[in-house]
Every structure is written in structure tokens, then in C-alpha cells.
Amino acid sequence: MARLAAARYGKDNVRVYKVHKDEATGTQSVTEMTVCCLLEGQIETSYTEADNSVVVATDSIKNTIYIKAKEHPVNPPELYAAHLGQHFLDKYPHINAANIKVIVHRWARINIDGKPHPHSFYRDGNDTRNVEARISREAGIELKSAIQGLSVLKSTGSAFHGFVRDEFTTLGETWDRILSTDVDATWTWKTFPTVAAVEQGVDRFDQAFEAARNITLKTFAEDESASVQNTMYKMCEEILEKAAEVELVGYSLPNKHYFEIDLSWHKGYKNTGKDAEVYAPQSGPNGLIKCEVARS
Ligand SMILES: O=c1[nH]c(=O)c2[nH]c(=O)[nH]c2[nH]1
């Protein structure tokens, strides 16, 4: 005998672009995002008995993503995700939860001769602003906001020594190394009971995003890093301090290694230790360091 242990379904990779046209100033603003929307509820029989009467077609879910982008602001993405998810609970009594993921792609305004251009933009980084929302009848609106794919490197100001040395160890201790990573930072909000509660004080979401991005960059640059572990913990602490309604902050950081190359075989070139200039960036394997920090 088998039983359906878990089920959710919907549309993924729905690409959406929205423009805001300020008629008074002639300035336009744009948002591009990729949306995933997966529904849960009393949908078991669609799997077990071929009963499509409980299925809101994924094509209709895709249409709803566009319609809600027309009806509501898409900024901040936390509010858009809350509106979109709540719609499915309001509209379909047999749907109990909507799981929404929004990935916002960067479009920064182009400056021409020092002046912001009214309708032209460029991609000023491959990092994305993400939101994962779960809107459910039992728990309300659960939101996680994130920065993903923010690539950073520092050429000094990072050490790693004092780690376990035993018969498995070949890595040398270092007081000066390259540190590079692709930042994936996530902050979890207190649960909101309603969309109205998300909407009230909605500026908190943009403020937290800007704070998290700035704290990540500043701490990465300025910390005399003892390890990835210690530097990321400092970032978490500071975000918790800045964003009062955030309950948990987490980072997942690959340690992207840059190996020194001994070039002494060629004309006795010195290229290690304090003389190192030319390095070999590694694709893998890489360290992967994660943590979550909560309020005590
Ligand atoms: O910052 C680091 N943390 C580690 O746990 C580790 N392990 C390693 O080999 N290099 C590093 N660097």
C-alpha cells in the first residue's frame, strides 16, 4: 500500500516585467522578476484518483501571477508575494497554503553626463533580491527575504590559523590570504497575521534589504577576518541589531579558493608567501560555511 505523503504544485520560472510611468516627471521605473507559485490543500485526489476537479491549472496560476502584478505594487517583493499568496486562499476554499518565491533581478538607472536617465537601465550586478513567502490558513504570512549571488573578493585582510592539525592535515596556516565568496544571506521575519499587517510599515522590507547588503559589504571589507565562520557571524549580529522585526539571520558562503603557484622553476621567480602575485582561482572543491543566528 502507498499513501500520498506530501504534495504541492504550481508554476515555476514565470518571468514578469512591470514598468511604472510617472506622467508628471516623465520618469519610468522598472522591475523584472522571476516568480514561482506552488499550492497545497485538499488536492490529494488529483494524484490518487485522477480527479482534476480540485486542480487550479498551473496555466491559471501563471495568469494570476500577471493579474496580481497589474493590480498591486510589485515593490517591495514581500508585499507582492503576500498579495499573490493570499489571493489563492481567498478564492479557493480547498487551497490551504501558497508557497511563493520571487527573484528580483537588478536594473539600475543609467547616469548620462552625471544625470539619471529617465528610461534607461543597466545590470549593475548579478546578485538578486529574493523573497520566499508561505501564506497559509494555519500560520498566516511567513516571509524570508534574501540576497543571493553577491560575488565579493578581498585581496588581503583575511587569515586562517589555529585549526585542528593531525595526520589528515596538509593545509598550512596563513596570516594573509585571499577571501572570496558568493553571498547568500537570508533573514526571516516575525509572522504576519494578514496582508494588511505586511502593508503597514512596508518600508521595513526595503530598509532591511539595504541594511543587509551594506552590512555584508562593509563587514566583508573591513573585518580583519579570522575565518569565514567568524566574519559571517558578525554580519548576522549586525543585521539582527538593525532590523527589529527580523527573528533569524542566516548565511551560506562558499569559500572560493585561490591557490598560490610556485614559479621558482622558471628563472627562480619568487611567487609564494609575501611574494605571491599570480594565483590559480579554483572552481572546486570549495569550502561551504553556513550559519543561522537568532536573538537570545
Ligand atoms: O575560513 C575558513 N574556514 C574553514 O573552516 C576553513 N577550512 C579550510 O580549509 N579553510 C578554511 N577557511
Side-chain angles (χ1 to χ4, degrees), residues 158-160 163 171 177 179 225-230 255 257 287 289:
S158 166
F160 187 61
F163 49 88
L171 184 70
R177 65 172 181 175
L179 186 59
S225 175
S227 63
V228 174
Q229 284 91 331
N230 184 238
N255 190 1
H257 306 300
I289 323 270

